[in-house]
Amino acid sequence: MANYIKRESLQVDPVLQQFIEEELLPNSMVEPNQFWSDLDDLIHDLTPENKKLLQHRDHLQNQIDEWHRNQTTFHPETYKNFLTNIGYIEQKTNDFNITTNNVDPEISTQAGPQLVVPVNNARYAINAANARWGSLYDAFYGTNAINEENGATKTGTYNPKRGQKVIQKAKAFLDQFFPLKNGTHQDATKYIVQDGQLSVTVENQGTTQLQEPSQAVGYKGKPEDPQSVLLKNNRLHVELQFDRTLPVGKTDESGMKDVVLESAITTIMDCEDSVAAVNAADKVLVYRNLFGLTMGNLSVAFKKGATMMTRSLNGDRVYQSMDGTSFSLPGRSLMLIRNVGHLMTTDAILDRDGNEVPEGMLDAVITGLIGKHDLLGNGRYQNSRSGSIYIVKPKMHGSEEVQFANRMFNRVEDMLGLRRHTMKMGVMDEERRTSLNLRRCMEQVKERIVFINTGFLDRTGDEIHTSMEAGPMIRKGDMKSSNWLTAYEKSNVVSGLSCGLRGKAQIGKGMWAMPDLMNEMLSQKGAQLEAGASTAWVPSPTAATLHALHYHEFDVPSIQESLMGQLDQEELIDRMLEIPVAENTDWSPEEIQQELDNNAQGILGYVVRWVDQGVGCSKVPDINNVALMEDRATLRISSQHMANWLRHGICTEDQVTETMKRMAKVVDEQNADDPNYIAMAEDYTRSIAFQAACALVFQGHEQPNGYTEPLLHQHRRQRADGQRADGDGSYQHTQTLI
């Protein structure tokens, strides 16, 4: 137990107290005594309402559970009327348009890839921020976006055969989106800037220009021998880099050494789903890294091979315009910060009664305070050039909870001395009650909303939990083609466009979860833009560079304009209410076991890293050893699916237990090369990670909205405190984990 420091009527963990008073408050124009007084008031004023909102969630869920248990037949219209009568489906809102202002172009007008990164991992966070620009040559060379046929293998050293394929593919991209009037970039021998235009010499074609000369917007170096040339298409930049002394430039007739794409336009620095933060020390690590990113002084040293390296944030990129004047472009991704939701509490601060305080309130205050340093210009770089702080708020259920978050932001702005609506809000559309009432949710924050998105995994987890009593769900893989899901994806875009988000805010789509399958991503992820998304999540900087190709192919604002008013929102709501209950449950024993194996292996593979090592997001091999990016959203759907099948007798407790034990051995083998890994199968009853994974399934029905955080936090704290699990399921203190 920490020796708490008294501040007003609050008890503050000294690790957090010291960080706030010695690092955050100086130069913030916020006086310490006033800060603690205002924080005390905010917590004690708003916590009771926060609790009421959570109780209302439980009340609605109990009513829905009871309704399903009492039905002998299911009638869609009766179901919809019931949900309306209990307030689950809210009254329709009148037409409105959002009025958010002071929004950076990366959010309002530039469409492009978005990264989500655990901010407690400094190296990952820096890499993500620097992923604003990425080498297309490297992205092609190092992934399966280029095949390895005819000797074009990825070797330890440079393979010229593969390199030639890379160059041809990159120049095909240039020919497609930056075509020349005569000839092709494949045959170009020289690029110069002459008379305010890009002039290109093409073998056997003479000198030519771009078909659209305005696409050339700048350069570096001498006009007659530029180091690079800057092009622009669909509001995204592409830099052609030249150097005849380097291996690739030597072999290229034009001396082109690389094609660099503007890639991750925005990055969500995540304090939530991809982060394991269960105490004050964890939270301070999250906040300190975010503060370092904001101030521009975060760096990390690491060993690559035999060489020690230091990684820090990139500076801005300076160019000459085609008429010779100087200008700069951001060198880093625009950062948004994802706070936690309304559910969890933290012992980093205790209230006047000794209770943990809502973690979301602490996040709002601290991330707002960190953002203020950016607005004051205290850092080395500027994140928002428009004077805004971007906070993504997840896991809100319905408009009352969004309205509450808006009032909380108002209070934070007042206590930090920020103008109203400086703190912009991203509303994650990942809960069923929010999906059905999305327009009303957006109306509550119409003056500060900058982002909505869809998330298949969390949304599916909530779909299963909400309808837990309706019957056994279809197999997890079949969810992606279910009517409710396709309607949900369309409704998100339609709702956003109908409320005026086009040109003012992002409409996002979910993650590509397979970071090693980039060729497959290139063939599939463009569909998200065709559906009207202005951004979509990718799992790595390399993936961001490759996904950027889609944004050159599709002009998102034009797509969004064409979608305006095309779809009937009421029809989409009706389709979203189609519960994915299996009409026929005559699965074979082999099919049932296959589903259990897949879910159990995924749960265990993620939970063992979360509980034992505090890793909230990583590449986790699935049952077929395909690496998947996993976070708590993937865990929520898998655990809820198993809990649902268990509840409806598709499987038995003994079968689930046997499956979990067998899959624990598989996961142990998959992690055999990790020196920090603690095997689960050596003693199932004493492995805290194994017991946590089992609890997520066997107690899945009782968990609030099917969330995994309460059980994960409980078991991670036990692990961190040096406890072990005993055979009866209780926990006792020991010196080491057995």
Side-chain angles (χ1 to χ4, degrees), residues 181-470:
K181 289 181 178 178
N182 298 303
T184 73
H185 290 280
Q186 305 276 2
D187 300 322
T189 60
K190 191 171 183 62
Y191 292 78
I192 65 172
V193 176
Q194 188 175 45
D195 299 328
Q197 288 192 356
L198 178 63
S199 177
V200 183
T201 303
V202 180
E203 187 176 7
N204 299 324
Q205 296 281 340
T207 300
T208 188
Q209 287 81 37
L210 296 174
Q211 287 185 18
E212 295 291 339
S214 62
Q215 286 185 308
V217 296
Y219 64 95
K220 290 182 181 179
K222 300 176 181 178
E224 68 276 12
D225 187 22
Q227 298 171 4
S228 66
V229 170
L230 188 68
L231 309 177
K232 189 175 183 180
N233 175 59
N234 286 351
R235 295 157 294 279
L236 290 177
H237 295 89
V238 174
E239 184 177 333
L240 313 183
Q241 297 183 345
F242 305 93
D243 191 333
R244 295 183 184 274
T245 68
L246 295 179
V248 175
K250 273 183 183 179
T251 63
D252 189 276
E253 289 295 327
S254 68
M256 191 182 298
K257 69 162 187 172
D258 206 349
V259 176
V260 176
L261 270 58
E262 195 172 16
S263 301
I265 303 302
T266 55
T267 290
I268 296 177
M269 296 295 170
D270 193 17
C271 307
E272 194 232 5
D273 253 4
S274 67
V275 171
V278 303
N279 55 34
D282 291 342
K283 293 299 291 185
V284 168
L285 175 61
V286 166
Y287 296 149
R288 182 173 282 123
N289 283 350
L290 181 62
F291 188 44
L293 290 165
T294 302
M295 298 298 287
N297 57 19
L298 183 66
S299 64
V300 62
F302 61 97
K303 197 170 186 179
K304 190 171 184 179
T307 306
M308 286 300 300
M309 303 181 69
T310 299
R311 189 149 293 162
S312 57
L313 292 173
N314 292 336
D316 290 338
R317 302 166 80 92
V318 179
Y319 301 91
Q320 301 296 312
S321 68
M322 301 307 281
D323 62 9
T325 59
S326 180
F327 70 98
S328 67
L329 293 175
R332 300 156 310 285
S333 186
L334 180 74
M335 293 186 292
L336 299 83
I337 306 102
R338 181 161 67 171
N339 288 184
V340 305
H342 295 324
L343 174 66
M344 297 301 292
T345 58
T346 176
D347 64 358
I349 298 179
L350 306 181
D351 67 14
R352 63 167 68 105
D353 299 316
N355 299 311
E356 295 184 359
V357 305
E359 188 176 355
M361 292 184 193
L362 181 63
D363 270 2
V365 171
I366 300 302
T367 57
L369 180 57
I370 290 170
K372 185 177 181 182
H373 284 275
D374 179 57
L375 305 187
L376 291 172
N378 292 339
R380 184 179 180 185
Y381 307 117
Q382 199 81 27
N383 182 51
S384 171
R385 290 163 168 78
S386 298
S388 291
I389 300 167
Y390 300 103
I391 297 178
V392 176
K393 190 68 181 173
K395 294 181 173 56
M396 294 187 288
H397 296 247
S399 67
E400 286 185 347
E401 295 195 12
V402 179
Q403 185 185 63
F404 172 73
N406 187 59
R407 291 201 304 276
M408 179 173 66
F409 277 28
N410 287 345
R411 289 287 296 267
V412 174
E413 287 168 341
D414 291 343
M415 70 178 284
L416 298 180
L418 299 171
R419 291 195 310 270
R420 183 65 76 237
H421 306 129
T422 294
M423 294 169 62
K424 304 301 192 288
M425 186 184 297
V427 176
M428 296 188 67
D429 176 11
E430 56 188 347
E431 309 298 333
R432 195 170 186 256
R433 188 149 60 102
T434 294
S435 299
L436 294 168
N437 304 291
L438 183 57
R439 280 171 50 85
R440 195 170 181 88
C441 290
M442 288 189 286
E443 186 179 29
Q444 308 308 313
V445 284
K446 64 182 180 181
E447 295 172 301
R448 67 166 90 242
I449 190 167
V450 290
F451 166 89
I452 59 173
N453 81 320
T454 56
F456 161 71
L457 295 164
D458 257 314
R459 179 64 177 77
T460 305
D462 193 52
E463 184 75 23
I464 295 171
H465 187 85
T466 302
S467 304
M468 181 67 74
E469 296 294 329

Side-chain angles (χ1 to χ4, degrees), residues 22-33:
E22 296 183 9
E23 298 180 48
L24 284 191
L25 289 176
N27 302 314
S28 70
M29 299 179 67
V30 179
E31 197 273 327
N33 290 337

Side-chain angles (χ1 to χ4, degrees), residues 79 432 463 483-484 573-581:
Y79 178 55
R432 195 170 186 256
E463 184 75 23
N483 284 336
W484 76 264
I573 288 175
D574 289 342
R575 287 166 55 193
M576 275 194 283
L577 290 173
E578 295 182 24
I579 302 172
V581 171

Side-chain angles (χ1 to χ4, degrees), residues 101-142:
N101 54 29
N102 299 324
V103 182
D104 288 274
E106 291 93 332
I107 287 175
S108 60
T109 56
Q110 267 187 299
Q114 187 169 71
L115 284 169
V116 184
V117 64
V119 74
N120 61 337
N121 187 311
R123 182 177 172 185
Y124 289 177
I126 292 170
N127 287 347
N130 288 342
R132 177 67 176 256
W133 299 85
S135 164
L136 185 59
Y137 280 11
D138 287 349
F140 279 151
Y141 190 95

